[in-house]
Amino acid sequence: MENIKCLVLGAGPAGYTTAIYASRAGIPTVLYEGMEPGGQLTTTTIVENYPGFSGGVDANTLMAEMKAQAQRFGAQVRRGSAVKANLSRRPFHITIDDGTELLAETLVIATGATAKYLGLPSETQYRGMGVSACATCDGFFYRKKVVAVVGGGDTACEEAVYLAGLARKVYMIVRRDVFRASKAMQEKVFATENIEILWNCNTQEVLGDGSGVTGARLLRKDGTVFDIEVDGFFLAIGHHPNAEIFAPAVALDENGYILTEGKSSRTSVPGVFAAGDVQDPSYRQAVTAAASGCKAAIDVRDFLLENK
Ligand code: NDP
């Protein structure tokens, strides 16, 4: 069975940055791309806030560059997703979806998190054309426009307040008559004049003209159906960290995110590290994911030095 010094799972900014740093440090590194080569970023178009690109950069180009950079230093990038992980002893035993069995001296989990969507066909149709699950990424495109945010948790409130600073008006579509968000976040929403909360509402359909979002059709609990006109439709109904196959060996928090030790990328299993959104419910940015990938590679290097 192949024995890999540093196995990286995930091909977003966290996974590629781990591979760049680890392979450049002379550690033989293999990266499996997982279900979504390029990661969540590839669901957007232009990335305008990744440092170093004054005119913005196409998301797919950015990820292709990260991949090429990792390969330049010798990292092997392979197609496939891990489906099973036996982390009870080192080297760790990993099974890939094509049936390949691997041993890994160290493992970096950079499998990301998947934004939850409502599951409406119209929402899928307009994804990237007005439908977004990241206000920080796409809010800028809606300056002086009207947008809707779905959800009533901390993320929805935070994104609504952020968008209210850019957009002319923000609707919050909340399915109950209360927020799930913390008091502090709720108060920020209530104090923001250009946010209108639509309580007890569910989205029936995202409306569009074929080239972009123009509105949303909502169903209120009392049975009323009505339309709102919006240019952007933001989902903030939670994320799903892709960490199941590593539990219970690797400790997760109550929302399923991998717990890391202090400022490091170390998980509860020595030799297993986590980077990017799979361990980050708060920041979820390409640049923060990349930074955590860098930390993971340095932690791998230190671990290998200590455990020769
Ligand atoms: P949450 O799970 O906390 O909230 C999800 C929200 O979306 C809820 O209001 C929920 O409604 C609603 N929702 C879920 N599914 C649907 C659906 N199908 N249709 C309509 N609405 C739906 O997720 P968050 O991403 O907001 O937060 C995740 C974690 O991260 C939390 O622990 C949160 O506190 C934390 N966080 C903290 C921040 C901070 O402290 N600054 C910032 C962001 C997140 P309902 O309430 O009815 O279930």
Side-chain angles (χ1 to χ4, degrees):
M1 209 183 301
E2 186 181 12
N3 194 327
I4 295 165
K5 255 298 185 256
C6 175
L7 175 64
V8 182
L9 301 176
Y16 281 138
T17 306
T18 305
I20 291 165
Y21 271 77
S23 52
R24 192 164 178 273
I27 302 166
T29 302
V30 173
L31 179 150
Y32 274 86
E33 291 184 313
M35 306 279 274
E36 196 171 33
Q40 270 196 86
L41 207 61
T42 55
T43 62
T44 173
T45 47
I46 300 290
V47 183
E48 293 194 317
N49 52 7
Y50 198 86
F53 300 92
S54 59
V57 57
D58 174 78
N60 286 298
T61 307
L62 177 63
M63 297 321 297
E65 282 294 326
M66 286 192 198
K67 177 176 176 176
Q69 197 173 356
Q71 289 171 319
R72 180 180 149 217
F73 294 116
Q76 281 186 45
V77 178
R78 299 179 187 167
R79 279 283 161 105
S81 302
V83 288
K84 220 163 120 190
N86 182 347
L87 308 178
S88 57
R89 60 191 155 91
R90 282 184 61 232
F92 308 116
H93 188 167
I94 309 293
T95 309
I96 305 298
D97 55 358
D98 63 1
T100 308
E101 311 255 340
L102 303 166
L103 293 175
E105 294 289 326
T106 60
L107 174 67
V108 177
I109 304 168
T111 44
T114 310
K116 292 181 189 163
Y117 286 83
L118 298 170
L120 304 168
S122 52
E123 175 194 49
T124 312
Q125 182 187 350
Y126 289 106
R127 207 181 281 188
M129 294 156 68
V131 172
S132 166
C134 180
T136 314
C137 317
D138 298 326
F140 180 79
F141 303 116
Y142 299 93
R143 276 186 304 176
K144 308 263 182 281
K145 295 191 173 175
V146 181
V147 298
V149 177
V150 185
D154 278 323
T155 303
C157 289
E158 202 169 75
E159 302 216 335
V161 171
Y162 172 74
L163 287 166
L166 298 163
R168 191 166 81 243
K169 178 171 181 143
V170 178
Y171 288 106
M172 284 191 81
I173 304 170
V174 184
R175 68 178 172 182
R176 291 188 292 152
D177 60 356
V178 285
F179 279 131
R180 178 181 291 276
S182 59
K183 266 263 161 323
M185 278 313 303
Q186 296 192 26
E187 274 159 20
K188 281 190 194 167
V189 168
F190 295 139
T192 308
E193 271 180 12
N194 57 340
I195 296 179
E196 180 179 339
I197 306 163
L198 302 170
W199 301 107
N200 293 314
C201 285
N202 273 301
T203 308
Q204 278 195 327
E205 207 182 324
V206 177
L207 307 172
D209 59 8
S211 61
V213 168
T214 58
R217 181 154 301 150
L218 308 183
L219 168 64
R220 200 178 275 128
K221 253 194 194 133
D222 63 8
T224 327
V225 176
F226 63 102
D227 292 351
I228 52 170
E229 282 182 21
V230 297
D231 307 289
F233 186 84
F234 287 84
L235 281 308
I237 59 172
H239 283 76
H240 178 77
N242 303 314
E244 288 95 345
I245 66 161
F246 311 105
V250 167
L252 310 180
D253 73 7
E254 66 279 10
N255 294 311
Y257 287 87
I258 294 179
L259 287 167
T260 51
E261 232 176 78
K263 289 180 183 169
S264 80
S265 66
R266 290 190 298 271
T267 70
S268 56
V269 179
V272 178
F273 305 87
D277 287 12
V278 75
Q279 53 83 59
D280 176 12
S282 309
Y283 297 102
R284 298 197 283 250
Q285 298 303 298
V287 67
T288 52
S292 73
C294 160
K295 293 203 297 188
I298 292 171
D299 290 341
V300 164
R301 185 199 61 193
D302 291 349
F303 179 87
L304 289 171
L305 284 173
E306 286 160 18
N307 296 273
K308 266 195 180 145

